[in-house]
Amino acid sequence: MSNFEQFNLDFYQSNYTIDDQEEGSNSYGSNENLYGSKKSQTGDQPPASAFAPSEMLLSSQNYTGQILQPTYSPNTPLGYMDGFDEEPPLLEELGINFEHIWQKTLTVLNPMKPADGSIMNETDLTGPMVFCLALGGTLLLAGKVHFGYVYGMSAIGCLAMHALLNLMSVSGVSHGCVASVLGYCLLPMVILSSSAVVFSLQGIPGTLLALFIIGWCSLSASKIFTSALAMEGQQLLIAYPCALLYGLFALLTVF
């Protein structure tokens, strides 16, 4: 029995006394006091809205609308008034300007009218695509399925004219500008193909009409290129290759 009591004393032997217990309770109380002081300090701090930006507070105060029905008070800042009103129209972002298209069309229809170089020096392909489709459609009405020939000759002619104009002009020209001008000047050829639907062009009247349309197209194209590229005195030099190109379209239309 004495051995068991000795083992008990050896196993639970420690330096912990009653004074340590009292000191621990005092430290626990001090921790509570410290937690209470921190809580009181946090209670004295200003609300979170004091650190929020003034714009957010102003917008939350001025916004009085309902769901899907926003309304703004007169005190709303101008930054929140900006919406879709100041954005450009979708057609303008896509590069489609109907006023410029109409002016280019009138310039082609009237070869004697002076061309505006600032408007003509644009890569607008809306009108050329429409006129190419119109030419192919009128040829189709005449019993000629030549859409591939129309697009093929147009592409080759644009590349050839682009190379020639870059050699002749000082400033140079882009592929889009050449395609735009040649496509717009294809409008008189649509008139010739529309005439082929009504009567045959294989004869002297048809040949004379085709020559007149070729001269019309080449004169309009050379006038536009001269004004857009500032190539005064070189209109006849530009009109000759244009006449060769539009002559191919006339042959396609007549025969």
Side-chain angles (χ1 to χ4, degrees), residues 177-231:
C177 180
V178 174
S180 178
V181 173
L182 293 178
Y184 272 103
C185 294
L186 198 65
L187 178 58
M189 198 61 61
V190 177
I191 300 175
L192 180 65
S193 62
S194 301
S195 302
V197 179
V198 181
F199 55 89
S200 177
L201 298 177
Q202 296 182 5
I204 295 178
T207 304
L208 294 177
L209 180 60
L211 291 175
F212 174 74
I213 293 297
I214 293 172
W216 187 358
C217 293
S218 59
L219 181 60
S220 299
S222 60
K223 177 192 63 176
I224 294 173
F225 282 129
T226 302
S227 62
L229 301 177
M231 300 173 63

Side-chain angles (χ1 to χ4, degrees), residues 113-131:
K113 178 183 178 181
D116 189 359
S118 62
I119 296 178
M120 294 302 172
N121 197 6
E122 294 179 354
T123 58
D124 174 27
L125 298 179
T126 305
M129 290 298 296
V130 173
F131 295 153

Side-chain angles (χ1 to χ4, degrees), residues 13-85:
Q13 186 176 4
S14 65
N15 297 325
Y16 184 79
T17 59
I18 297 177
D19 296 336
D20 296 335
Q21 183 177 2
E22 293 178 356
E23 184 179 355
S25 61
N26 293 333
S27 64
Y28 177 75
S30 62
N31 289 336
E32 286 185 351
N33 295 333
L34 180 61
Y35 175 74
S37 62
K38 288 184 178 180
K39 188 174 181 181
S40 62
Q41 289 178 1
T42 54
D44 295 338
Q45 292 179 353
S49 61
F51 298 96
S54 58
E55 292 83 358
M56 295 177 59
L57 296 177
L58 186 59
S59 62
S60 61
Q61 293 173 1
N62 294 331
Y63 188 79
T64 57
Q66 299 177 0
I67 298 177
L68 301 180
Q69 295 180 355
T71 57
Y72 294 93
S73 63
N75 297 326
T76 304
L78 295 178
Y80 295 93
M81 300 278 298
D82 296 336
F84 295 98
D85 297 336

